Amino acid sequence: MSDHSDTLEKAEVAKLELADNGADEFELARMGYKQELKRELGLLQNFGVSFSIISVITGIPSLFLYGLNTGGPAVMVWGWVIVACATMLVGLAMAEVCSAHPTSGGPYFWAAMLSEPGNAPLASWITGWFNLLGQVAVTTGISFGCANFLSTLCTFNTSFTPTSKTTMGVYAAILVSQGLINTFGVHLLKYLNNISVWWHAAGTTSLVIAILARAPSHQSTDFVFRTFIDNTGISGSEGWGARASHAYVCVIGILMAQYTLTGFDASAHMTEETHNAAMAGSIGIVMAIGVSAVLGWFLILGLLFSIQNLDTTIASPTGQPVAQIFLDTVGNRGAIVLMVIVIGAMYFCGTFSITSNSRMMFAFARDGGIPGHSFFRKVDSKRGTPVRTVWLACTLSFILGLPSLGSAVAFSAATSIATIGLYISYAIPIALRVFYRKRFVRGPFYLGAFSIPIAVAAVIWIAFISIVFLLPQVNPVDSQTLNYAPVAVGIVIVYSVGFWILSARKWFVGPVRQISVE
C-alpha cells in the first residue's frame, strides 16, 4: 500500500512539473521563442545565480582598498545603506518588467516590448549593447579580482612576488577553467549553484565571526561610523576633497557598494531555464538584492571593526587590506583559510557570471544583434547550452582585463564600466515602462500604485551613478591613473549608434519571433 502511495505521489509531482513546464513553454512561445535551453532550475537556483553574482564577499574585498582611500569607513558604511535602498528600487522596477516578459534576453527584450513598435528595434539595440558591455565588464571585475586574491594568497609563507604579467596569467587560467565548467559541466551548475549559495552565506558569516572573535582589539564606533578619509591624491598631490570637495569624494566613494550590488539581472537571463519563470525570476531579483544588502553591511562592519592599524592595513605589503586584516586577527594559518573562503566565493561568482553572460549573448545573437550572430546563436544539442557564447564571454572578458598591464586604476575602471553598462541597460526598459505605461501588460509580480513612483526613482538614481562613475577617481589624472570607463562607454555608444545609422537600422528588427502561438 505504501509503495502504491509513493508511486501515486511521484506521478502527481511529475504531472505538476509537466504542467509547469507546459505553462512556461507556452509563455515563451507567446513571446515568439521555442524552448531550446533545458528548463530545470527552481526559485532557489534562480535566486542563487543572482546572489552568487552579486557576491558581497567578492565585491567588497575586491574594492575594500578603494573604499578606504575614497571616503573611508563613514562612506563605506552609510554609502552601503543608501546604495542598497536605491538598488532595491531598481530591482523592484526590474522585477515587475521581468514578470511580464520572462526571457533570456532580459533588458534588451523588455526594451523592445515596452517601446512604440517603430522605435522598438533601436531601443532593443542600444539596450542590448549596454547590457553586453556590463556583462563582460562584470565578469572581468569578478575573475580578475579572484586572480588578484589568489596571487596574494601565493605570497603567504613564500618568496613569490606577483606582477601584472603573472596576475594576467592567473586571470587567463581562471577564465579558461570557468569556461570549461560552463561547457562540459553544465549539468552540474544547479548543484554548484546550491553549494555557492551556502558557501556565500555560511562563509561570509563565519568569516566575520572569526575576525571579530580573534581580533586583539577593535576599532571604536566613532571610527567605523564617522571617520572620513581622503587618500585620492597620489605622488604628493592633494586629494579630490581639497581640490574639489568632500562631497565629490563621497559620491565617487560609493562605487564599492554599487559595483557589488550589480548583476541581479542574471535571474532574468536564466528565466528560460527556470520553472514558473514569471514569478521565480522576479522574486529571485528582489531576494538576491535584499539578502545581499544585509549580508554585505554585516561584512563591512566586521572588517572595519577588526582593523588593527589603519595605516598598515592601507599600505599592506600583501596589496590587499582584507588579507592584512585576516593576518592581524587570525594569524597566518587562519588567514589562509579565510582567503580560501573568499577566493572560492569569487570563483563561484565568476563561473555564474559567465553563465549569465553567455545566455544574454545567446539571446542577442538569436535576434541578430551581434556580429557573427548566425554562428553564436547555436545551442549545443547534446548539452543544451550555448557553448559558443560561453567562450565569446571568456574571450571578451580577457581582452577587457588587458589594460591592467599598464594602468594603476584598471580594476576600478573595469568595475565602473560594469556598473554603468548594466545599470543603463536596466534604466532604459524601466523608463520605457513609465513613458508607455498604457502599453504595459503586467505579469503576476505587480507593484500596484507604487509601480510608477518606484520606476521613476530608479531611473533618476541610475542617471546619477552613470555620471558619477565616469569621473576621475584619483588626482592627478595621467596615463597611469586615467579612469578609462568614459573611453569604454564611449566606444559602445559610438559603435552602437554609428553602426545603427550606417547599417543595423536597415536589417535589425529587434527580438525575432521563431514561432507563433495559435
Side-chain angles (χ1 to χ4, degrees):
M1 186 69 177
S2 176
D3 290 343
H4 180 65
S5 298
D6 290 344
T7 302
L8 287 176
E9 186 177 341
K10 290 178 181 178
E12 189 64 26
V13 170
K15 188 175 179 182
L16 289 172
E17 288 181 352
L18 186 61
D20 284 343
N21 284 343
D24 286 322
E25 289 184 21
F26 181 82
E27 179 66 16
L28 191 60
R30 181 187 65 78
M31 293 183 285
Y33 298 117
K34 60 184 178 180
Q35 186 72 47
E36 294 182 275
L37 303 174
K38 288 185 178 180
R39 193 180 291 274
E40 54 184 13
L41 304 180
L43 171 59
L44 178 62
Q45 287 80 28
N46 185 282
F47 152 77
V49 172
S50 282
F51 179 64
S52 295
I53 292 175
I54 292 176
S55 184
V56 296
I57 202 173
T58 294
I60 292 171
S62 295
L63 285 174
F64 201 75
L65 178 60
Y66 177 90
L68 286 176
N69 284 327
T70 317
V75 173
M76 296 168 78
V77 170
W78 299 116
W80 182 272
V81 174
I82 294 169
V83 168
C85 292
T87 303
M88 181 57 79
L89 295 178
V90 177
L92 286 168
M94 279 182 59
E96 188 179 55
V97 178
C98 178
S99 182
H101 304 288
T103 175
S104 293
Y108 93 84
F109 182 91
W110 304 339
M113 295 300 101
L114 296 170
S115 298
E116 291 287 356
N119 299 325
L122 176 59
S124 179
W125 175 265
I126 298 297
T127 305
W129 276 102
F130 270 108
N131 194 244
L132 190 149
L133 170 69
Q135 291 272 347
V136 171
V138 159
T139 302
T140 301
I142 294 165
S143 294
F144 197 84
C146 184
N148 275 328
F149 268 71
L150 187 55
S151 297
T152 297
L153 178 59
C154 290
T155 65
F156 288 15
N157 294 330
T158 71
S159 59
F160 174 70
T161 302
T163 64
S164 58
K165 292 182 179 179
T166 59
T167 302
M168 183 58 66
V170 174
Y171 173 52
I174 288 171
L175 284 175
V176 169
S177 65
Q178 291 168 336
L180 290 172
I181 290 174
N182 275 280
T183 300
F184 300 106
V186 67
H187 60 289
L188 300 175
L189 284 179
K190 68 177 182 178
Y191 303 109
L192 289 176
N193 192 317
N194 292 339
I195 294 171
S196 178
V197 170
W198 288 107
W199 186 284
H200 278 81
T204 303
T205 304
S206 301
L207 183 154
V208 173
I209 291 173
I211 59 176
L212 286 174
R214 295 290 303 278
S217 63
H218 297 98
Q219 293 290 342
S220 66
T221 54
D222 187 71
F223 170 83
V224 172
F225 292 101
R226 298 183 61 185
T227 300
F228 176 85
I229 299 171
D230 177 18
N231 286 338
T232 55
I234 61 173
S235 303
S237 299
E238 61 184 3
W240 285 114
R243 183 174 177 182
S245 71
H246 288 334
Y248 180 90
V249 178
C250 289
V251 294
I252 65 173
I254 64 171
L255 174 62
M256 183 195 78
Q258 193 64 81
Y259 164 69
T260 302
L261 295 173
T262 298
F264 44 86
D265 60 319
S267 286
H269 295 305
M270 301 304 292
T271 49
E272 288 186 33
E273 297 165 74
T274 304
H275 299 294
N276 190 22
M279 276 300 288
S282 300
I283 295 173
I285 290 171
V286 176
M287 279 180 59
I289 296 171
V291 174
S292 298
V294 174
L295 201 61
W297 207 55
F298 178 59
L299 176 59
I300 291 172
L301 292 177
L303 289 169
L304 291 174
F305 273 115
S306 300
I307 291 175
Q308 298 304 295
N309 182 288
L310 180 62
D311 292 335
T312 302
T313 300
I314 290 176
S316 172
T318 67
Q320 299 291 344
V322 171
Q324 190 62 48
I325 293 172
F326 294 165
L327 290 168
D328 291 342
T329 54
V330 297
N332 196 73
R333 291 184 179 180
I336 292 174
V337 173
L338 297 185
M339 287 289 284
V340 169
I341 292 175
V342 173
I343 292 168
M346 290 177 168
Y347 189 82
F348 280 127
C349 180
T351 300
F352 288 110
S353 178
I354 290 173
T355 305
S356 172
N357 196 341
S358 63
R359 269 54 173 182
M360 182 273 158
M361 290 181 176
F362 157 73
F364 204 26
R366 180 173 60 184
D367 294 327
I370 61 176
H373 55 84
S374 58
F375 175 80
F376 290 115
R377 64 175 294 174
K378 301 295 183 182
V379 174
D380 186 284
S381 57
K382 181 179 178 181
R383 300 179 179 86
T385 188
V387 171
R388 294 176 182 182
T389 52
V390 165
W391 291 103
L392 176 62
C394 293
T395 302
L396 293 178
S397 296
F398 178 76
I399 292 171
L400 192 59
L402 287 175
S404 65
L405 291 172
S407 171
V409 295
F411 183 77
S412 58
T415 59
S416 292
I417 294 167
T419 307
I420 293 168
L422 285 180
Y423 274 93
I424 288 179
S425 74
Y426 300 167
I428 294 174
I430 294 173
L432 290 171
R433 184 259 178 276
V434 174
F435 290 138
Y436 302 115
R437 66 193 72 175
K438 293 181 179 179
R439 291 177 50 83
F440 183 69
V441 179
R442 69 182 183 88
F445 185 94
Y446 182 56
L447 300 174
F450 296 100
S451 177
I452 299 301
I454 287 176
V456 170
V459 172
I460 292 172
W461 176 255
I462 293 172
F464 168 70
I465 62 172
S466 297
I467 295 170
V468 165
F469 297 150
L470 291 174
L471 299 173
Q473 296 167 341
V474 296
N475 182 51
V477 179
D478 56 31
S479 61
Q480 284 291 308
T481 62
L482 175 70
N483 177 5
Y484 68 93
V487 177
V489 173
I491 289 173
V492 170
I493 292 174
V494 171
Y495 171 81
S496 59
V497 174
F499 193 56
W500 174 263
I501 294 172
L502 294 175
S503 176
R505 63 187 175 87
K506 301 173 184 177
W507 49 265
F508 183 75
V509 296
V512 178
R513 296 187 69 89
Q514 295 177 317
I515 56 178
S516 298
V517 181
E518 300 298 336

